[in-house]
Amino acid sequence: MPKRAELIREGDLGVLRIDNPPVNALSPETVVDIAAAFEAFEADQSLVGLVIECAGRTFVAGGDIASFDQPSFSTAPFNTLLARIEAAGRPVAAALFGTVLGGGVELALACHIRIALPGARFGMPEITLGLLPGSLGTQRLPRLIGVEAAAVMISGGKSIASDEAHALGLVDALADNPGAAAREAVRHAAESGAPLRRLSALSPPDAAAAEARLAQMKADAARRPHLPALAAIAASLDAAVHRPFAEGEAVEASAFRALLASPASRALRHVFFAERAARRIPGLPEGARPRGVLQVGVLGAGEMGTEMSIAFANANISVTMVDAADAALARARAAIDETLATEVSRGRLSEAEAALRSGLVRGTKHVSELADADIVFEAVSEDMPLKLDVACKLGVVCKAGAIIATSASTLDVNRIAAATGRPRDCLGVNASSPTHGLLEVVRGAETAADALQTVVHLASRIGKTAVVSGVCHGFIGARMAEVYARENDALQLDGATPEQIDGVAENPQWIGMKMGPSGMLTAARTALAIELAGRHGVARRASIPDREIFERLLYPMINEAAEILAEGIAWRPGDIDVVWTAGYGFPAWRGGPVFMADEIGLREVVARLDHYARLRNDWRVSPLMRRLAERGERLSDWRRDKI
Ligand code: T1G
């Protein structure tokens, strides 16, 4: 195995180069190699200083998240290394570029000088993993940029641009060649003999004004106990203000260890990898590449077609939008320009950028003008005869190798694919809603793997999270949502109110959905339920316990997820979690319905499903789930080849 870090000598200058593709993540092995390279620098007194740089596409993008589940994982070796870097008697500079995140920022903070490439981004995303920075980020960052700015970065988890990082003082300078600039800065520091800036020896510059921010963070954390990282961050920043560095380090380390084992962090780390696994297409030949997409066609200038056109224009992809009605094209054009104008008014786009994006979308009434498109999204209404007619036309008009994507939400994609006459190039797409980031990509019985790969790759270019679904009524998301909605109605018939049901669904003590079923799916009203119950002779109960509502909302969804897996509609359990966390408001800190099922335990879920099945004859417990429960296995671990 090649070394992931090495010391290179450039005359009297040391260069510690890290090379751990794809993002120079700090795996335990990489930390060992970095420490060995740094030891070589410490031992070679002929070197006047050191530059730490990375090969590949980015400086260190953080700790190796995959290693956090290892029982032996600890930040101690890395933290010890950082202390030695900071304590070095000779100048150490970091040459920064790409996405410098988490442990990457912490490595840079241990250095005495930080030089960044314009366009680099900096962030402390640990909160998105249910963690806090575990390598002194909560102690060094506020000592460099202040408590206020550090609190925003660490609690928000969002990255900042290099200009802002420079303005905050997170980086000392921007340079078109950060490596060369870092080398020069080290030489200059060595020659000048000026004292080296060691952050652990400083105090946060805004410590006196930090109390309000610290109090606000603690209050916010108290309101969201289901995200314990918030309280841990507040306590660690408080220690950075009020206690010596070593004590703050201990506060952070203890909190990090506790959070690593927390249900919320395990769930969020599961979603991180599940989203990336969902992009992988089984059956792809080795080295298969997505088909090139330069030209996109959109057939149908309704809401879906307009949303898609805006998304592609925002990704700098040109769009030919076709509609037979001038009025529809005019409405779409107006909506596109209004959306772009809003972005300009919010300062997110310049006028020129908006004009460029608007110009990328060309409207026409002629289907023949889709002949050059690399992919055509058919976005006509959900009417099978119309879809079949359009599919037939597109099968003739589209060039060889072009992909035809039908925006079906419940219709049989296989029938539409057959109507194109080129089913290998045809698939379905279903966006749960324009606002959510999910795109279900529906694979037909004959859809080619590279066609799927192309659309999954294209989805990430337009900021969507793609999940591949097989053909069934409602695919993955809507099929499970139907079960969720049905039980919502049944609960109202039995006597629960929409408010109580939504209250349980949205309560973090139960599920923590962004919106309950009555808000999200049906606007059922109690009066309707009372009338309906009367008509069907349903004996309504005066009150229904919250736990029963919780079980009857969640467990049938889990049961449907098991059926979806058993039928091969979803390739992986994690794909189902991604559908619901990215597309239906299921809290990511729960990991998704499948992950949550394993947290509860399949035996408990099956026992409760059996209980309700005895009360109602429309419940059928999934044989797969019953089998896994009997074996004491997890639904998340199920694999098709393990039937
Ligand atoms: N650990 C392990 N694998 C990672 C990784 C990481 N930090 N970041 C990316 N990968 C893998 C990813 O799974 C995928 O693998 C491939 O790299 C490309 O990623 C110590 C404790 C850097 C902006 O949270 O935000 O530091 O699917 O598809 O879209 O105190 O990856 O190809 O096999 O996302 O170009 C903090 C998480 C960790 C950064 C690149 N750092 N990563 O985006 O590529 S905690 C993060 C990202 C920490 C310290 C604490 C993005 C990216 P595969 P990708 P991308």
Side-chain angles (χ1 to χ4, degrees):
M1 183 72 186
K3 286 287 183 198
R4 299 165 189 83
E6 59 177 343
L7 178 67
I8 300 158
R9 290 172 175 76
E10 293 179 0
D12 60 353
L13 198 67
V15 176
L16 195 163
R17 179 167 298 153
I18 300 166
D19 187 5
N20 184 33
V23 297
N24 287 309
L26 293 165
S27 64
E29 301 77 15
T30 302
V31 173
V32 167
D33 290 348
I34 297 171
F38 188 73
E39 272 165 32
F41 165 69
E42 286 175 316
D44 187 344
Q45 290 302 318
S46 71
L47 299 174
V48 299
L50 182 71
V51 170
I52 297 180
E53 63 183 27
C54 286
R57 61 179 171 136
T58 178
F59 191 79
V60 171
D64 175 17
I65 303 167
S67 64
F68 295 169
D69 293 328
Q70 293 165 10
S72 60
F73 176 79
S74 165
T75 55
F78 184 54
N79 297 359
T80 303
L81 170 62
L82 296 183
R84 284 167 49 201
I85 292 171
E86 186 184 64
R90 293 165 283 170
V92 181
L96 306 168
F97 69 108
T99 47
V100 184
L101 301 171
V105 169
E106 291 167 311
L107 174 55
L109 291 172
C111 298
H112 310 115
I113 304 164
R114 288 163 287 280
I115 313 275
L117 179 71
R121 294 195 68 83
F122 298 82
M124 303 299 273
E126 290 85 347
I127 184 75
T128 66
L129 300 167
L131 298 169
L132 83 169
S135 292
L136 291 304
T138 65
Q139 304 304 306
R140 288 197 171 98
L141 190 62
R143 286 174 164 83
L144 179 61
I145 67 173
V147 178
E148 179 60 29
V152 170
M153 282 189 77
I154 296 171
S155 299
K158 300 229 180 307
S159 65
I160 60 174
S162 53
D163 293 344
E164 186 177 355
H166 187 209
L168 286 172
L170 177 52
V171 298
D172 300 300
L174 299 179
D176 291 339
N177 184 337
R183 287 163 171 79
E184 189 182 330
V186 166
R187 287 193 188 289
H188 177 72
E191 285 153 13
S192 72
L196 299 173
R197 185 170 56 161
R198 296 185 177 89
L199 299 181
S200 59
L202 306 179
S203 296
D206 61 348
E211 298 312 326
R213 169 57 86 172
L214 292 172
Q216 176 267 319
M217 291 175 71
K218 289 169 188 169
D220 182 40
R223 283 192 296 274
R224 298 194 281 172
H226 56 281
L227 291 175
L230 294 170
I233 291 166
S236 296
L237 288 177
D238 186 285
V241 172
H242 298 110
R243 298 164 74 171
F245 186 84
E247 288 183 25
E249 176 172 8
V251 169
E252 179 195 89
S254 167
F256 185 82
R257 280 192 301 274
L259 289 172
L260 213 49
S262 68
S265 182
R266 289 187 293 105
L268 288 163
R269 296 184 332 244
H270 159 72
V271 170
F272 175 86
F273 287 115
E275 286 183 343
R276 286 152 179 83
R279 297 178 203 157
R280 294 187 199 117
I281 309 295
L284 267 177
E286 187 65 31
R289 303 287 307 152
R291 301 181 196 179
V293 175
L294 296 173
Q295 284 268 0
V296 168
V298 173
L299 180 55
E303 185 184 346
M304 171 74 76
T306 303
E307 290 290 341
M308 283 184 174
S309 300
I310 293 172
F312 287 115
N314 283 335
N316 201 27
I317 300 171
S318 60
V319 180
T320 300
M321 178 163 55
V322 175
D323 199 293
D326 288 323
L329 288 172
R331 278 195 304 272
R333 169 57 58 195
I336 291 167
D337 289 343
E338 183 187 346
T339 302
L340 293 169
T342 303
E343 292 299 285
V344 171
S345 65
R346 290 175 177 164
R348 293 182 187 152
L349 274 185
S350 68
E351 295 278 3
E353 286 165 336
L356 182 70
R357 292 186 187 182
S358 176
L360 285 171
V361 182
R362 182 173 62 85
T364 174
K365 296 173 69 172
H366 308 296
V367 178
S368 60
E369 296 193 34
L370 295 175
D372 296 336
D374 302 302
I375 182 169
V376 173
F377 288 89
E378 166 270 289
V380 301
S381 52
E382 189 83 353
D383 169 84
M384 188 52 107
L386 174 61
K387 292 265 189 197
L388 294 175
D389 176 52
V390 165
C392 182
K393 288 192 175 79
L394 289 176
V396 173
V397 166
C398 293
K399 67 184 180 184
I403 293 169
I404 299 169
T406 173
S407 62
S409 56
T410 56
L411 297 177
D412 182 350
V413 169
N414 287 324
R415 280 188 62 197
I416 298 168
T420 66
R422 42 200 286 186
R424 286 181 54 76
D425 293 335
C426 187
L427 47 77
V429 286
N430 181 33
S432 56
S433 84
T435 51
H436 276 127
L438 174 68
L439 186 74
E440 284 189 81
V441 181
V442 184
R443 71 180 189 278
E446 298 181 58
T447 302
D450 74 317
L452 287 171
Q453 183 193 35
T454 302
V455 175
V456 166
H457 185 261
L458 189 60
S460 57
R461 282 177 66 185
I462 61 173
K464 292 275 185 186
T465 301
V467 177
V468 175
S469 168
V471 176
C472 70
H473 180 88
F475 314 126
I476 297 172
R479 174 168 161 180
M480 289 170 66
E482 210 161 86
V483 170
Y484 184 54
R486 185 192 68 201
E487 207 49 40
N488 174 51
D489 295 343
L491 279 162
Q492 291 187 46
L493 272 179
D494 288 345
T497 64
E499 292 72 22
Q500 183 191 7
I501 297 167
D502 282 4
V504 169
E506 294 166 10
N507 185 336
Q509 288 181 334
W510 293 112
I511 304 177
M513 295 290 289
K514 278 198 180 70
M515 190 184 288
S518 295
M520 180 169 94
L521 298 166
T522 58
R525 290 286 171 267
T526 306
L528 171 64
I530 293 171
E531 187 276 328
L532 212 55
R535 193 146 30 101
H536 293 278
V538 172
R540 286 168 62 81
R541 285 183 276 160
S543 75
I544 294 185
D546 285 354
R547 168 155 292 277
E548 178 177 339
I549 292 175
F550 162 75
E551 290 175 345
R552 287 176 58 182
L553 286 180
L554 181 62
Y555 293 3
M557 283 172 59
I558 294 169
N559 196 57
E560 200 65 26
E563 294 287 81
I564 284 169
L565 284 168
E567 294 166 22
I569 297 298
W571 274 321
R572 311 170 191 90
D575 291 359
I576 297 171
D577 285 334
V578 173
V579 165
W580 274 81
T581 52
Y584 287 83
F586 203 97
W589 57 268
R590 288 284 194 190
V594 173
F595 188 90
M596 191 169 177
D598 289 323
E599 290 292 287
I600 295 164
L602 292 192
R603 280 204 178 95
E604 165 68 9
V605 174
V606 169
R608 299 305 294 161
L609 287 169
D610 281 333
H611 164 74
Y612 293 111
R614 283 191 288 274
L615 303 176
R616 293 238 315 260
N617 60 12
D618 60 343
W619 283 45
R620 172 185 172 276
V621 178
S622 152
L624 168 63
M625 192 144 78
R626 190 180 298 282
R627 195 163 63 242
L628 294 176
E630 286 163 356
R631 293 176 188 162
E633 294 179 8
R634 289 160 34 99
L635 191 54
S636 299
D637 297 336
W638 184 79
R639 290 292 174 272
R640 169 150 295 288
D641 53 10
K642 276 174 60 179
I643 287 181

